[in-house]
Structures are given as C-alpha cells and as structure tokens.
C-alpha cells in the first residue's frame, strides 16, 4: 500500500475528476460508515466522535450531521493549535449548526510543565514531547471518553507506517470502549473527492501542503513525495509519530 501523498493544494483538489466509478465507490463507502456508526449507536448508545479537525474528520462531521446520527462530537483544544484550526471550528459550527464540545488540558499541569521545562520543551527530548502530548491531549481525551461505550476516529491505514494494520472496529483496552475507525480503508483521493462532492469545509492549511495538522509548533508543511505524516514531529523517527491518543 502506498503512503505517498497526492499533491495537496487547492489547485489539485479542483482538478479531481469525480467520475461515475469514483462517485459510486464513495457513496458505497459512505453507506458503510453510516451503518457502522448506526449499529454501534443501537447496541451501545453512548458514542462519541473525537474530531481532530483533519480532512478525514470533516468527512465524518458531514456524514454524522447530515444523517442525524446521535454522536457527541468533541475536539481537544491543546492551547497550541494553529489559528486556521480555530477558524475551521467556527466554520463547521456555523455550517452544521451545532457546537463542538471542547475539552481543554488541566491548567495546573500545563503551568507546572512549562514552568519546569520551558515553553517549547517538547523539542528537547522524546520524553518531554510525549509528556506535553500527555498533558495537552491524552488527559483531556481520557476525560472526554470516561463514560463513552464507543468512540470514533478519522484514522486511515494509509496515513503512516504505524497505521498500516488499522481495523474498522476494535476494542480499545485503554478506554475500555469500542473504537471505530470507519475511514480506515479510504484513500486520500476518496477523502478529498468526498470533500469536493459535498462542499465540506476544511482547514486552510491543507492548501499549503499540510496534509496532517496538529499543534502549530509540532506541524510543518511537507514536500512532494514525503509521507503524509512527515510534517508531524518532523524531528523524530517515524515509528515515534503518535501522540498517545491511539495506544494499542
Ligand atoms: Fe505538545 Fe506538540 Fe504534543 Fe501539541 S503536538 S501536545 S504542542 S508536544
């Protein structure tokens, strides 16, 4: 399976040819996503979507809202997000007429980390980077999922070498809940074709060669031919490129 990115910018998205075959594939895959989420709502009732505001997450927001699926949509504001991401939150709320539930990190833990290690200490070592992600992402996620029986992510197999075996549905031991990755088999082309077909809002940084967007200081644009997650924690080895949200 290729992990090579397509040429991500507005010009490329505009040139995607939505032919009948692609359109049918996307319709079929969209129905599967809806069925998977619906089945879990019926069986488990309490289902949440951890919306990390990437292109995939926008596809899921569109499917969930248009199909009136009873899913809590939440995001984590780490305090270090790019301004384009905040603009996207507002745009999504305006378009789909709902409020994304926002979880923040624990203020005392953030203050303590910064006062001991420094404002940008995550560049200094893998331990300090993981510890920052632990405080700003993992702890709020744990709180968000505390009473949830299932949670949805926008992860895909193609996104990185750490996700090649990603399943659509698995049991998440850490949160003792069902974990749904309904887009696991979608290609990047299919994601962007869906966005184009349905006029779905997306982060303006995608048009500037940011295929994967996290916190501002830990995300950079990529060059053609680089892995789609090469711009995340670019100073680290590829096998370390997870923030702890998706622990096996
Ligand atoms: Fe901290 Fe960077 Fe992780 Fe954001 S991505 S929580 S700034 S280490």
């Amino acid at each position: 399976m290729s992990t090579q990115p397509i040429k991500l910018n507005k010009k490329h998205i505009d040139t995607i040819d939505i032919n009948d075959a692609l359109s049918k594939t996307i319709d079929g895959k969209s129905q599967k996503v809806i069925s998977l989420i619906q089945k879990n709502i019926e069986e488990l009732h309490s289902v949440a979507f951890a919306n990390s505001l990437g292109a995939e997450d926008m596809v899921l927001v569109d499917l969930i809202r248009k199909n009136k699926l009873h899913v809590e949509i939440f995001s984590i504001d780490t305090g270090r997000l790019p301004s384009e991401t905040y603009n996207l939150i507002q745009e999504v709320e305006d378009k789909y007429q709902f409020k994304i539930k926002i979880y923040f990190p624990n203020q005392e833990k953030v203050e303590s980390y910064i006062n001991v290690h420094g404002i940008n200490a995550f560049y200094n070592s893998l331990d300090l980077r993981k510890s920052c992600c632990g405080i700003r992402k993992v702890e709020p996620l744990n709180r968000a999922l505390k009473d949830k029986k299932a949670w949805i992510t926008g992860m895909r197999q193609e996104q990185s070498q750490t996700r090649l075996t990603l399943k659509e549905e698995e049991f998440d031991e850490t949160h003792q809940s069902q974990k749904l990755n309904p887009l696991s088999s979608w290609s990047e082309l299919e994601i962007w074709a869906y966005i184009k077909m349905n006029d779905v809002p997306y982060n303006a940084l995608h048009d500037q060669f940011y295929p994967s967007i996290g916190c501002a200081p830990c995300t950079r644009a990529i060059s053609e031919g680089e892995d789609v997650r090469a711009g995340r924690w670019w100073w680290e080895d590829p096998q370390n490129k997870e923030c702890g949200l998706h622990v096996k």
Side-chain angles (χ1 to χ4, degrees):
M1 182 181 304
S2 166
T3 57
Q4 295 300 302
I6 59 171
K7 291 177 192 169
L8 261 174
N9 60 34
K10 183 79 167 66
K11 202 165 140 215
H12 175 79
I13 294 160
D14 286 346
T15 61
I16 295 174
D17 173 23
I18 312 286
N19 54 40
D20 281 355
L22 182 56
S23 179
K24 262 193 200 146
T25 302
I26 289 169
D27 284 348
K29 285 190 164 189
S30 298
Q31 282 311 316
K32 273 185 71 184
V33 171
I34 296 163
S35 303
L36 178 66
I37 296 175
Q38 194 70 59
K39 181 192 86 167
N40 276 276
I41 293 171
E42 280 161 20
E43 287 173 2
L44 301 171
H45 309 295
S46 154
V47 180
F49 167 36
N51 175 12
S52 61
L53 302 154
E56 293 79 5
D57 303 80
M58 293 302 99
V59 170
L60 288 170
V61 167
D62 193 76
L63 284 167
I64 288 169
R65 294 299 297 173
K66 279 186 179 159
N67 292 284
K68 298 186 170 53
L69 300 174
H70 292 288
V71 170
E72 178 187 289
I73 300 179
F74 73 87
S75 295
I76 295 167
D77 182 352
T78 63
R80 300 294 300 252
L81 300 178
S83 57
E84 290 84 351
T85 302
Y86 293 110
N87 292 342
L88 179 64
I89 291 173
Q90 187 64 61
E91 196 181 346
V92 165
E93 291 187 345
D94 291 345
K95 178 174 169 91
Y96 297 100
Q97 290 293 297
F98 79 110
K99 284 268 179 283
I100 297 174
K101 182 155 187 190
I102 303 288
Y103 287 86
F104 288 94
N106 176 288
Q107 169 225 328
E108 284 177 13
K109 287 184 178 154
V110 173
E111 283 180 4
S112 161
Y113 177 94
I114 288 173
N115 289 326
V116 172
H117 302 295
I119 197 83
N120 282 341
F122 37 77
Y123 292 131
N124 297 345
S125 72
L126 183 58
D127 280 351
L128 283 172
R129 198 276 285 168
K130 287 194 167 168
S131 151
C132 182
C133 286
I135 292 167
R136 291 184 185 269
K137 294 180 169 182
V138 178
E139 188 279 329
L141 178 78
N142 292 345
R143 244 185 301 126
L145 296 181
K146 202 158 69 77
D147 301 317
K148 300 295 182 300
K149 296 278 192 297
W151 66 297
I152 302 166
T153 84
M155 291 200 298
R156 293 186 300 112
Q157 292 166 350
E158 270 186 357
Q159 282 167 328
S160 74
Q161 52 178 272
T162 57
R163 297 182 180 178
L164 289 173
T165 57
L166 185 72
K167 296 189 180 79
E168 267 185 11
E169 205 171 357
E170 56 195 351
F171 188 71
D172 173 0
E173 296 283 350
T174 306
H175 300 103
Q176 288 295 299
S177 66
Q178 207 57 14
K179 186 174 178 184
L180 314 178
N181 310 302
L183 304 177
S184 64
S185 69
W186 285 48
S187 69
E188 190 156 17
L189 175 68
E190 288 161 355
I191 294 292
W192 285 100
Y194 182 99
I195 286 173
K196 184 176 179 181
M197 285 162 66
N198 294 281
D199 196 21
V200 175
Y202 63 86
N203 197 314
L205 284 174
H206 287 311
D207 290 339
Q208 299 166 41
F209 288 89
Y210 285 77
S212 176
I213 303 164
C215 294
C218 301
T219 308
R220 66 156 170 79
I222 65 165
S223 308
E224 201 174 322
E226 279 191 292
D227 186 274
V228 289
R229 282 179 59 88
R232 304 291 299 278
W233 308 290
W234 65 91
W235 63 93
E236 293 179 357
D237 289 339
Q239 66 268 23
N240 295 327
K241 289 183 181 222
E242 292 292 354
C243 54
L245 296 183
H246 305 292
V247 185
K248 282 273 176 202

